[in-house]
Amino acid sequence: AAVAPVVAVAAAAPAAASSVAEGVAEAQAAAAAAPASRARADKGDEKPHAAPAKEESIRIDAVKLDALLEVAGESVQAANQAAVLLERLQQFKFEGQAATLMSALTETLERASRYSSELQRATLATRMQPVGRLFQKFPRLVRELAKDLGKEVELTIEGAETEVDRVVVDSLYDPLVHMLRNALDHGVEGPDARVAAGKSPRAFISLKAWQEANSVMIVLQDDGRGMDPVALRRKAAEKGLISPNANMTDDESYQLVFLPGFSTKEVASSVSGRGVGMDVVKTAVEKNRGAIHIESALGRGTKFAIRLPIELSIVPTMLVSTSGAQLALPMAVVQRVVELPEEFMEVGGAPVLKDQGRPLPVRTLAGALGYAPVSERVGIVVNAPQPYILAVEAVDGTADLVIKPMTAISVEGITGTARSAEGDLVLVVGLSFLMEGCRSSVRMAA
């Protein structure tokens, strides 16, 4: 039978006043017991046993923590809905005892909202774990693989103290192992090849993590041979994954490695080319509502950047509407909101708008999701590897939403559902979908 995972939770410290009172009581008890202790010592009696050490932590089933977090999130949502209802009530005129009751109700709801938010933060803190628990397993793995491959490799790790939801930590192990194996086998060259290319015989791989706004960034980078976009396109065409005449940029070519069945390894080895591709890595990242991006340069190396939400169940979002649908965009990719003109200048037949001096392509959210076309005159500057402006009908504010994953059906671009403060159903747009420019289903704004 499977054993449910457990996590350690630090016990809460007693209040300061209680600590002082306990200290005084202990001192008085010690003073009273001193004469008796001296008498026993004079008689050669046995010394009393030391008091048992106080437990500072307890072990809790992770399933119980998950249930607690869900309850905390729902309590915050209920408090938000109550605040909206109260705001509507306050539009009416109350007099006498009714006005007094409304004042008391307002104060009570504000207190309930504050406590529910504190409960949410405290519960989230119990689920957070440093990524160092994951990273500490990799030096030995790299050392052994490098030895098997006859390569000299040094792994550096930074940001091991960065904390993220424990579910994310647990699910990232296999993807990171696969990426490290690829970096060692495909990415970095052997000592002779490196010296011939004017490099140090020892290759360097770095693994870094840091917090950025409401996200955690994990970057794996090597100083190896880099990726050849021409070779990637040729190999994908040979496997029938793309058309031989496909017109792709270098960045789009790097994304080919995420296609199922893609591999540049001709012969399978114990390290790679065994049919387990980078599509598994991307699937694992997107399952945790994250996104992965590749940057590479021939002869200089490759960088994989993974962006993940710090915690999974409650996500800061921007609420928007378009084509009659209410949608939520993760705040992790939202830079700012701009007003869109009636007509756009065009580059290559596609609409473009200058934002802070840089021309950005304009894309429509309704078109990307396959909704009926509408007039979208509000733009959201999306912080993606290739920045762009996403056109929507209206921006309705921001909210921390409790996300429910979609399990029964799969919809391109939608990662889950949530309830707004008004109780309406909201569709949550996927972080990876936005980071990749709404993928290939993008239609340009007209």
Side-chain angles (χ1 to χ4, degrees), residues 38-310:
R38 285 196 298 270
R40 285 196 301 270
D42 292 342
K43 293 179 181 180
D45 288 347
E46 209 175 73
K47 291 183 179 180
H49 292 290
K54 187 177 180 180
E55 288 289 341
E56 295 295 337
S57 63
I58 57 176
R59 294 175 69 84
I60 298 179
D61 193 315
V63 175
K64 294 180 180 178
L65 277 183
D66 294 341
L68 178 60
L69 180 62
E70 184 172 355
V71 171
E74 293 295 347
S75 70
V76 171
Q77 289 290 88
N80 291 340
Q81 291 178 11
V84 170
L85 293 174
L86 180 63
E87 186 178 351
R88 292 177 179 174
L89 276 176
Q90 289 173 338
Q91 296 175 359
F92 299 95
K93 186 177 181 180
F94 294 91
E95 296 179 351
Q97 189 175 2
T100 303
L101 287 174
M102 276 298 297
S103 177
L105 177 61
T106 301
E107 183 182 346
T108 301
L109 284 179
E110 287 177 353
R111 190 166 66 250
S113 178
R114 186 170 63 253
Y115 287 150
S116 63
S117 295
E118 291 178 0
L119 172 62
Q120 182 191 58
R121 285 193 294 269
T123 307
L124 286 175
T126 65
R127 288 169 54 101
M128 303 299 282
Q129 292 186 353
V131 293
R133 185 174 72 83
L134 181 68
F135 288 179
Q136 66 184 2
K137 303 175 183 179
F138 295 143
R140 180 179 177 182
L141 171 71
V142 170
R143 192 165 55 247
E144 292 178 350
L145 281 177
K147 183 179 179 181
D148 291 343
L149 294 168
K151 297 179 179 179
E152 298 179 24
V153 181
E154 180 179 330
L155 174 67
T156 59
I157 293 176
E158 297 179 28
E161 71 283 355
T162 305
E163 290 191 332
V164 70
D165 192 295
R166 67 164 187 85
V167 175
V168 175
V169 173
D170 293 340
S171 63
L172 277 181
Y173 177 74
D174 288 338
L176 284 175
V177 166
H178 186 75
M179 291 166 66
L180 281 169
R181 296 173 80 98
N182 270 2
L184 284 160
D185 196 21
H186 295 277
V188 300
E189 314 94 328
D192 294 340
R194 289 182 63 85
V195 170
K199 299 181 179 179
S200 163
R202 173 175 292 182
F204 295 91
I205 297 177
S206 67
L207 185 60
K208 301 179 183 178
W210 68 89
Q211 184 175 335
E212 188 174 283
N214 296 307
S215 302
V216 167
M217 296 296 300
I218 298 177
V219 172
L220 179 67
Q221 186 169 7
D222 66 63
D223 67 343
R225 58 174 61 92
M227 292 185 181
D228 184 350
V230 176
L232 293 175
R233 290 192 290 268
R234 184 173 61 249
K235 180 61 68 172
E238 289 175 2
K239 292 179 175 291
L241 299 174
I242 62 171
S243 168
N245 300 321
N247 185 17
M248 306 180 70
T249 66
D250 288 351
D251 280 336
E252 290 171 337
S253 300
Y254 299 144
Q255 304 304 311
L256 292 173
V257 301
F258 295 125
L259 293 177
F262 183 89
S263 176
T264 57
K265 196 76 171 179
E266 299 293 344
V267 180
S269 68
S270 61
V271 179
S272 62
R274 297 160 295 155
V276 180
M278 288 293 290
D279 61 305
V280 175
V281 175
K282 187 174 185 181
T283 300
V285 171
E286 292 185 350
K287 183 180 179 182
N288 291 310
R289 293 200 291 277
I292 183 169
H293 179 69
I294 301 175
E295 294 179 18
S296 188
L298 274 175
R300 295 204 299 270
T302 303
K303 179 169 76 172
F304 291 86
I306 299 175
R307 181 190 291 268
L308 294 160
I310 291 179

Side-chain angles (χ1 to χ4, degrees), residues 2-44:
V3 180
V6 294
V7 294
V9 182
S18 175
S19 300
V20 172
E22 289 175 1
V24 172
E26 289 173 0
Q28 290 174 343
S37 299
R38 285 196 298 270
R40 285 196 301 270
D42 292 342
K43 293 179 181 180

